[in-house]
Amino acid sequence: MIEATLAGAARVRFTTAEDGDLGRTDGDPGDARVPAARDAVRRACGLGSIAGGRQVHGARVAILARAEPGYRLAADPSDGQATRLRGVGVAVHVADCLPIAVAGDGGVAMLHAGWRGLAGGIVGAGVAALRDLGVDGPLEAAIGPGAGGCCYEVGDEVHAAFAGVPGASRGRCVDLGAVARAELAGAGVGRVVELGGCTLCAPAGLLFSHRRDGPGSGRQAGIAWLA
């Protein structure tokens, strides 16, 4: 796992393929080994509870007000989770989209940010969720592995969505990290760290990639919590 520490005693971990397939979030775990991989990751993080949602490439961020034991994914659609609960993980699953953790003193959020989510305002929604939870101080963020500007070739629709973002377009590719950094800065987030690199050109066996490996690709996770 790839680790970072953010403001407000927030811990962040981004899993890799070496940690196993954490599975899709639509109720179909796919590989039969997914539940064991999820439980192993939960225990490795030292957490009794990790919560996620059914990801739909939208911009809804759910507020986690009550924890249940284990590694659980809610049936309600959401592409982000935010909480004030300490020692409780919030998670998203990705395989080219960016996992983005945002944290401040007393709150933490984890966001699923593909191009649709970024264009739809998932970063702003995550920051707003933390403010609604009463986090009024400085915020910091960590961006995990995702499709990089080196490899993520897209069509005109995607380039048009980020036409005003400096550094977003790189020839036929779009740099989701550049978009995320711009949106985090625009939402008032201070320090931003980027970890893990590009899922598409990572060494074999290191990171899952839907674009590279097809629909059967596994999923890695981004997990954040208040220590």
Short mmCIF file of all heavy atoms in Angstrom, two decimals, residues 158-194:
data_model
loop_
_atom_site.label_atom_id
_atom_site.label_comp_id
_atom_site.label_asym_id
_atom_site.label_seq_id
_atom_site.Cartn_x
_atom_site.Cartn_y
_atom_site.Cartn_z
N VAL A 158 -14.16 14.96 -23.94
CA VAL A 158 -13.40 15.09 -22.69
C VAL A 158 -12.49 16.31 -22.75
O VAL A 158 -12.39 17.08 -21.78
CB VAL A 158 -12.60 13.81 -22.40
CG1 VAL A 158 -11.89 13.92 -21.07
CG2 VAL A 158 -13.52 12.60 -22.42
N HIS A 159 -11.82 16.51 -23.88
CA HIS A 159 -10.98 17.71 -24.02
C HIS A 159 -11.80 18.97 -23.84
O HIS A 159 -11.37 19.93 -23.19
CB HIS A 159 -10.28 17.70 -25.37
CG HIS A 159 -9.14 16.74 -25.47
ND1 HIS A 159 -7.90 16.99 -24.92
CD2 HIS A 159 -9.06 15.51 -26.03
CE1 HIS A 159 -7.10 15.96 -25.14
NE2 HIS A 159 -7.77 15.05 -25.82
N ALA A 160 -13.02 18.97 -24.41
CA ALA A 160 -13.88 20.15 -24.30
C ALA A 160 -14.28 20.40 -22.86
O ALA A 160 -14.41 21.56 -22.44
CB ALA A 160 -15.11 19.97 -25.17
N ALA A 161 -14.48 19.33 -22.09
CA ALA A 161 -14.91 19.49 -20.70
C ALA A 161 -13.87 20.22 -19.85
O ALA A 161 -14.21 20.89 -18.88
CB ALA A 161 -15.20 18.12 -20.09
N PHE A 162 -12.59 20.12 -20.25
CA PHE A 162 -11.52 20.71 -19.45
C PHE A 162 -10.72 21.74 -20.25
O PHE A 162 -9.55 22.00 -19.96
CB PHE A 162 -10.59 19.61 -18.94
CG PHE A 162 -11.31 18.53 -18.16
CD1 PHE A 162 -11.27 17.20 -18.57
CD2 PHE A 162 -12.06 18.86 -17.05
CE1 PHE A 162 -11.94 16.22 -17.86
CE2 PHE A 162 -12.74 17.88 -16.33
CZ PHE A 162 -12.69 16.57 -16.75
N ALA A 163 -11.38 22.34 -21.23
CA ALA A 163 -10.69 23.26 -22.13
C ALA A 163 -10.07 24.44 -21.40
O ALA A 163 -9.04 24.98 -21.82
CB ALA A 163 -11.66 23.77 -23.20
N GLY A 164 -10.65 24.85 -20.30
CA GLY A 164 -10.13 26.01 -19.58
C GLY A 164 -9.13 25.69 -18.49
O GLY A 164 -8.68 26.60 -17.78
N VAL A 165 -8.75 24.43 -18.36
CA VAL A 165 -7.84 24.02 -17.27
C VAL A 165 -6.40 23.97 -17.79
O VAL A 165 -6.09 23.16 -18.67
CB VAL A 165 -8.22 22.65 -16.70
CG1 VAL A 165 -7.27 22.25 -15.58
CG2 VAL A 165 -9.66 22.65 -16.22
N PRO A 166 -5.52 24.81 -17.29
CA PRO A 166 -4.13 24.80 -17.76
C PRO A 166 -3.49 23.43 -17.56
O PRO A 166 -3.58 22.84 -16.49
CB PRO A 166 -3.45 25.86 -16.88
CG PRO A 166 -4.56 26.74 -16.40
CD PRO A 166 -5.75 25.85 -16.26
N GLY A 167 -2.85 22.94 -18.62
CA GLY A 167 -2.12 21.68 -18.52
C GLY A 167 -2.97 20.43 -18.62
O GLY A 167 -2.44 19.32 -18.57
N ALA A 168 -4.28 20.59 -18.79
CA ALA A 168 -5.14 19.40 -18.83
C ALA A 168 -4.96 18.60 -20.11
O ALA A 168 -4.92 17.36 -20.08
CB ALA A 168 -6.60 19.81 -18.67
N SER A 169 -4.87 19.27 -21.24
CA SER A 169 -4.74 18.57 -22.52
C SER A 169 -3.26 18.42 -22.88
O SER A 169 -2.49 19.38 -22.83
CB SER A 169 -5.45 19.35 -23.63
OG SER A 169 -6.85 19.26 -23.47
N ARG A 170 -2.91 17.18 -23.23
CA ARG A 170 -1.55 16.87 -23.67
C ARG A 170 -1.65 16.10 -24.99
O ARG A 170 -1.64 14.87 -25.00
CB ARG A 170 -0.82 16.02 -22.64
CG ARG A 170 -0.59 16.72 -21.30
CD ARG A 170 0.31 15.87 -20.43
NE ARG A 170 0.58 16.47 -19.14
CZ ARG A 170 1.41 15.94 -18.24
NH1 ARG A 170 2.04 14.80 -18.51
NH2 ARG A 170 1.59 16.54 -17.08
N GLY A 171 -1.80 16.83 -26.08
CA GLY A 171 -2.02 16.17 -27.35
C GLY A 171 -3.37 15.48 -27.35
O GLY A 171 -4.41 16.09 -27.08
N ARG A 172 -3.36 14.18 -27.59
CA ARG A 172 -4.61 13.42 -27.58
C ARG A 172 -4.99 12.96 -26.17
O ARG A 172 -6.06 12.37 -25.97
CB ARG A 172 -4.48 12.20 -28.50
CG ARG A 172 -4.41 12.56 -29.97
CD ARG A 172 -4.36 11.33 -30.84
NE ARG A 172 -3.13 10.56 -30.65
CZ ARG A 172 -2.84 9.43 -31.29
NH1 ARG A 172 -3.72 8.91 -32.13
NH2 ARG A 172 -1.70 8.81 -31.06
N CYS A 173 -4.13 13.22 -25.20
CA CYS A 173 -4.37 12.76 -23.82
C CYS A 173 -4.88 13.89 -22.93
O CYS A 173 -4.67 15.06 -23.21
CB CYS A 173 -3.08 12.19 -23.23
SG CYS A 173 -2.45 10.73 -24.08
N VAL A 174 -5.54 13.49 -21.86
CA VAL A 174 -5.94 14.43 -20.81
C VAL A 174 -5.27 14.01 -19.51
O VAL A 174 -5.19 12.82 -19.19
CB VAL A 174 -7.48 14.45 -20.66
CG1 VAL A 174 -7.89 14.92 -19.26
CG2 VAL A 174 -8.10 15.36 -21.70
N ASP A 175 -4.79 14.99 -18.77
CA ASP A 175 -4.13 14.76 -17.48
C ASP A 175 -5.14 15.00 -16.37
O ASP A 175 -5.42 16.14 -15.99
CB ASP A 175 -2.94 15.70 -17.35
CG ASP A 175 -2.11 15.45 -16.11
OD1 ASP A 175 -2.59 14.74 -15.20
OD2 ASP A 175 -0.97 15.94 -16.05
N LEU A 176 -5.75 13.91 -15.87
CA LEU A 176 -6.73 14.04 -14.80
C LEU A 176 -6.12 14.65 -13.55
O LEU A 176 -6.80 15.36 -12.79
CB LEU A 176 -7.34 12.67 -14.47
CG LEU A 176 -8.15 11.99 -15.57
CD1 LEU A 176 -8.66 10.63 -15.07
CD2 LEU A 176 -9.31 12.87 -16.02
N GLY A 177 -4.84 14.37 -13.31
CA GLY A 177 -4.17 14.94 -12.15
C GLY A 177 -4.12 16.46 -12.21
O GLY A 177 -4.32 17.14 -11.20
N ALA A 178 -3.86 17.02 -13.40
CA ALA A 178 -3.84 18.47 -13.55
C ALA A 178 -5.21 19.06 -13.29
O ALA A 178 -5.34 20.12 -12.66
CB ALA A 178 -3.36 18.84 -14.96
N VAL A 179 -6.26 18.38 -13.77
CA VAL A 179 -7.63 18.84 -13.51
C VAL A 179 -7.92 18.80 -12.01
O VAL A 179 -8.47 19.75 -11.44
CB VAL A 179 -8.64 17.99 -14.28
CG1 VAL A 179 -10.06 18.41 -13.94
CG2 VAL A 179 -8.40 18.08 -15.78
N ALA A 180 -7.56 17.69 -11.36
CA ALA A 180 -7.82 17.55 -9.93
C ALA A 180 -7.08 18.63 -9.13
O ALA A 180 -7.65 19.24 -8.21
CB ALA A 180 -7.41 16.17 -9.46
N ARG A 181 -5.83 18.89 -9.48
CA ARG A 181 -5.07 19.91 -8.76
C ARG A 181 -5.73 21.29 -8.91
O ARG A 181 -5.84 22.05 -7.95
CB ARG A 181 -3.63 19.96 -9.26
CG ARG A 181 -2.80 18.75 -8.90
CD ARG A 181 -1.33 18.98 -9.15
NE ARG A 181 -1.04 19.32 -10.54
CZ ARG A 181 -0.82 18.43 -11.51
NH1 ARG A 181 -0.88 17.12 -11.23
NH2 ARG A 181 -0.54 18.82 -12.73
N ALA A 182 -6.18 21.60 -10.11
CA ALA A 182 -6.83 22.89 -10.35
C ALA A 182 -8.13 22.99 -9.56
O ALA A 182 -8.43 24.05 -8.98
CB ALA A 182 -7.09 23.06 -11.85
N GLU A 183 -8.91 21.92 -9.54
CA GLU A 183 -10.18 21.96 -8.83
C GLU A 183 -9.97 22.01 -7.31
O GLU A 183 -10.72 22.68 -6.60
CB GLU A 183 -11.05 20.77 -9.23
CG GLU A 183 -11.46 20.84 -10.70
CD GLU A 183 -12.57 19.88 -11.06
OE1 GLU A 183 -13.01 19.11 -10.19
OE2 GLU A 183 -12.97 19.89 -12.24
N LEU A 184 -8.97 21.31 -6.82
CA LEU A 184 -8.66 21.38 -5.39
C LEU A 184 -8.23 22.79 -5.00
O LEU A 184 -8.69 23.34 -3.98
CB LEU A 184 -7.57 20.38 -5.04
CG LEU A 184 -8.00 18.90 -5.04
CD1 LEU A 184 -6.78 17.98 -5.10
CD2 LEU A 184 -8.86 18.57 -3.82
N ALA A 185 -7.38 23.40 -5.81
CA ALA A 185 -6.95 24.76 -5.53
C ALA A 185 -8.14 25.72 -5.57
O ALA A 185 -8.28 26.59 -4.71
CB ALA A 185 -5.88 25.20 -6.53
N GLY A 186 -9.02 25.53 -6.56
CA GLY A 186 -10.18 26.39 -6.68
C GLY A 186 -11.15 26.25 -5.53
O GLY A 186 -11.90 27.18 -5.20
N ALA A 187 -11.15 25.07 -4.89
CA ALA A 187 -12.02 24.84 -3.74
C ALA A 187 -11.38 25.23 -2.42
O ALA A 187 -11.97 25.02 -1.36
CB ALA A 187 -12.42 23.36 -3.70
N GLY A 188 -10.16 25.78 -2.49
CA GLY A 188 -9.52 26.27 -1.28
C GLY A 188 -8.64 25.28 -0.57
O GLY A 188 -8.23 25.52 0.57
N VAL A 189 -8.31 24.15 -1.21
CA VAL A 189 -7.43 23.15 -0.59
C VAL A 189 -5.99 23.61 -0.74
O VAL A 189 -5.57 24.02 -1.83
CB VAL A 189 -7.64 21.77 -1.23
CG1 VAL A 189 -6.67 20.75 -0.63
CG2 VAL A 189 -9.08 21.32 -1.04
N GLY A 190 -5.24 23.54 0.34
CA GLY A 190 -3.86 23.99 0.32
C GLY A 190 -2.90 22.93 -0.21
O GLY A 190 -2.80 22.69 -1.41
N ARG A 191 -2.20 22.24 0.69
CA ARG A 191 -1.20 21.24 0.30
C ARG A 191 -1.87 20.06 -0.42
O ARG A 191 -2.88 19.52 0.04
CB ARG A 191 -0.47 20.75 1.54
CG ARG A 191 0.45 19.56 1.32
CD ARG A 191 1.18 19.24 2.61
NE ARG A 191 1.90 17.98 2.54
CZ ARG A 191 1.51 16.86 3.12
NH1 ARG A 191 0.38 16.84 3.83
NH2 ARG A 191 2.23 15.76 3.03
N VAL A 192 -1.28 19.68 -1.57
CA VAL A 192 -1.75 18.52 -2.33
C VAL A 192 -0.55 17.64 -2.65
O VAL A 192 0.45 18.12 -3.17
CB VAL A 192 -2.44 18.94 -3.64
CG1 VAL A 192 -2.86 17.72 -4.45
CG2 VAL A 192 -3.65 19.83 -3.37
N VAL A 193 -0.64 16.35 -2.31
CA VAL A 193 0.42 15.40 -2.65
C VAL A 193 -0.13 14.40 -3.66
O VAL A 193 -1.30 14.02 -3.59
CB VAL A 193 0.96 14.66 -1.40
CG1 VAL A 193 1.64 15.65 -0.47
CG2 VAL A 193 -0.15 13.93 -0.67
N GLU A 194 0.70 14.02 -4.61
CA GLU A 194 0.32 13.04 -5.62
C GLU A 194 1.19 11.80 -5.45
O GLU A 194 2.42 11.90 -5.36
CB GLU A 194 0.47 13.60 -7.02
CG GLU A 194 -0.52 14.71 -7.33
CD GLU A 194 -0.44 15.16 -8.78
OE1 GLU A 194 -0.95 14.45 -9.67
OE2 GLU A 194 0.15 16.24 -9.02
#
